[in-house]
Amino acid sequence: MKSYNISKHPSFYAIGLNYHKADAETRGHFSLDEEQKKALIVEAKADGIEGILVTSTCNRTEIYGFAQHPFQLIKLLCQHTRGTVEEFEKVAYVFKNQQAINHVFKVGTGLDSQILGDFEIISQLKYAFTLSKNLKATNPFLERLINAVIQASKRIKNETEISSGVTSVSFASVHYILNEIDNISDKRILLFGTGKIGRNTCENLVKHTQNKRITLINRTKDKAEKVAGKFDLVVKDYAELQAEIRNTDILIVATGAKNPTISKELLYPKKDLLILDLSIPKNVSAEVAELDNVNLIHLDHLSKMTDKTLEKRKAFIPQAEEIIAEVKGDFNAWLETRKFAPTIKALKSKLRTMKDAEIDFQRKKISNFNNDQAEIVTNRIIQKIMNQFANHLREDADTTDESLALIQKVFQLEDISN
């Protein structure tokens, strides 16, 4: 990557762990909340890392960035989470340069989602870029890469049917309820947690169950009220959680806390209860499953659901991969132009110096010299010359190195920064 003049560091890495090898508990050890992400990015900048993105969802935690060695990024992740290097090494992956680029495309287009075709991850990548940009921790490479992934994601969503059927954990939870519970419209449902997954789950519940007996509880009540207002649902105080749990038939937990929010003591042992835990780390204590009347389902189970639509979506993978290859080809073509960016910049500076010297000479020699017109004409000539060189370098990639060397030699461009 060093030849592309993107960063002082030689390589671009994607490091992380996901549902493929890391179970929910391990993923929970490496999950990052808002403040942890910010702290990690700030420390990365202090360590001299140029360009970094951090994403953490229920299915994965990943860092993309430039570094001398991937351990710089691994160390940052472990320092800002409860995970250890030993844990990371057992379940994680490290991709470098083109492999890393390929991985970001695969993740952002839903091909590496726990539920094939889940496009929620693209909003996470957009947010990760915005967060890093606000902290001045991005570079042109990351901006171009994320924009390319967004473009590929949109095309796949619009041009294929890979997102048909169950496309998110929130919908999968509702899909499970519809399949497992009879007379769902008559059941009492309690949704605890109204963050992004909670909001999406709420919307799917209302849309697909035709159930109006849905109650929302959130630690911050006004957040729950904003969600409830859209669907005319009931909101209860956090202090009423235990009472509401004991009156409900289905409990959906989407709280996203670092420690369990639902314990055995909160439950009524003589009433049947289905609990869906959509949180990473798990927010329902494992001991809850010991109760005979409780059926505890975690999102890992929901994400393994297979249905007819899943098989249908698999058929569109080749088409999605063709779209990715096309967009990625454009991205790599842009990347190649970065090789000659310093030479083009230096050449433009040299031509402007020559222009300024010639205009100054002619101004002294010609009476009534029109400086403004001379500037306009010469600047346009310089731009046309620059365009000719740039087009040649882009279109004749096989001889780029030789062409760059010749330009540097002819125009005596000795100070080319790398």
Side-chain angles (χ1 to χ4, degrees), residues 48-101:
I49 290 177
E50 298 176 332
I52 185 169
L53 299 183
V54 182
T55 183
S56 185
T57 71
C58 57
N59 292 331
R60 70 183 69 245
T61 296
E62 296 184 337
I63 298 177
Y64 315 129
F66 288 86
Q68 291 290 101
H69 191 278
F71 187 72
Q72 289 175 278
L73 304 179
I74 297 169
K75 182 182 176 183
L76 282 168
L77 178 60
C78 294
Q79 285 177 339
H80 291 271
T81 64
R82 294 181 292 136
T84 65
V85 174
E86 290 74 23
E87 263 187 310
F88 183 89
E89 290 176 341
K90 290 178 182 177
V91 298
Y93 41 83
V94 175
F95 299 110
K96 180 179 179 180
N97 295 337
Q98 276 299 324
Q99 283 189 332
I101 293 171

Side-chain angles (χ1 to χ4, degrees), residues 128-320:
F129 179 80
T130 300
L131 181 64
S132 289
K133 189 172 185 177
N134 290 341
L135 295 171
K136 302 188 187 314
T138 60
N139 58 21
F141 172 92
L142 287 175
E143 182 166 12
R144 192 86 178 207
L145 175 61
I146 295 303
N147 284 337
V149 174
I150 291 170
Q151 179 189 354
S153 176
K154 285 180 179 177
R155 285 191 56 190
I156 290 171
K157 196 169 187 177
N158 293 332
E159 298 174 27
T160 78
E161 295 180 36
I162 204 167
S163 62
S164 61
V166 181
T167 58
S168 68
V169 169
S170 58
F171 189 90
S173 63
V174 177
H175 189 77
Y176 178 86
I177 292 171
L178 290 170
N179 285 342
E180 300 295 324
I181 304 297
D182 295 328
N183 303 316
I184 183 61
S185 60
D186 298 327
K187 301 298 183 182
R188 290 183 294 266
I189 301 174
L190 174 61
L191 175 61
F192 180 32
T194 54
K196 183 173 181 180
I197 290 179
R199 293 194 304 271
N200 291 343
T201 303
C202 183
E203 184 174 349
N204 282 312
L205 281 170
V206 173
K207 180 179 179 181
H208 298 285
T209 67
Q210 308 302 316
N211 188 317
K212 291 294 184 180
R213 304 174 71 185
I214 301 172
T215 301
L216 307 184
I217 292 180
N218 195 68
R219 286 182 183 272
T220 308
K221 189 176 181 181
D222 63 342
K223 290 184 178 180
E225 289 173 338
K226 287 180 181 178
V227 177
K230 297 178 181 178
F231 308 108
D232 193 26
L233 302 177
V234 175
V235 175
K236 294 288 186 177
D237 291 323
Y238 176 63
E240 299 178 78
L241 178 63
Q242 184 171 15
E244 288 300 317
I245 289 176
R246 296 193 173 194
N247 286 326
T248 198
D249 301 301
I250 302 168
L251 170 62
I252 301 173
V253 182
T255 43
K258 291 298 180 184
N259 297 301
T261 54
I262 301 298
S263 63
K264 196 174 182 180
E265 290 72 28
L266 290 174
L267 307 184
Y268 183 58
K270 295 182 180 180
K271 186 178 184 302
D272 289 340
L273 178 65
L274 169 63
I275 303 178
L276 303 181
D277 186 359
L278 309 185
S279 310
I280 288 291
K282 293 179 180 179
N283 278 193
V284 179
S285 177
E287 63 182 11
V288 164
E290 297 171 5
L291 297 173
D292 294 335
N293 62 304
V294 172
N295 182 17
L296 174 60
I297 303 296
H298 191 258
L299 64 83
D300 275 354
H301 174 80
L302 296 172
S303 299
K304 292 175 184 175
M305 287 173 21
T306 57
D307 55 22
K308 293 179 181 178
T309 60
L310 178 61
E311 293 305 314
K312 181 181 178 181
R313 278 175 275 152
K314 285 182 179 178
F316 293 95
I317 291 177
Q319 188 180 348

Side-chain angles (χ1 to χ4, degrees), residues 330-363:
D330 292 339
F331 171 78
N332 284 329
W334 168 83
L335 191 57
E336 285 299 314
T337 67
R338 298 295 304 179
K339 283 184 176 180
F340 53 80
T343 299
I344 291 295
K345 183 178 179 181
L347 175 59
K348 192 170 188 177
S349 178
K350 186 66 176 271
L351 291 177
R352 281 177 173 172
T353 299
M354 294 168 66
K355 180 254 312 184
D356 290 342
E358 184 61 26
I359 286 179
D360 186 57
F361 173 77
Q362 295 297 337
R363 185 187 300 111

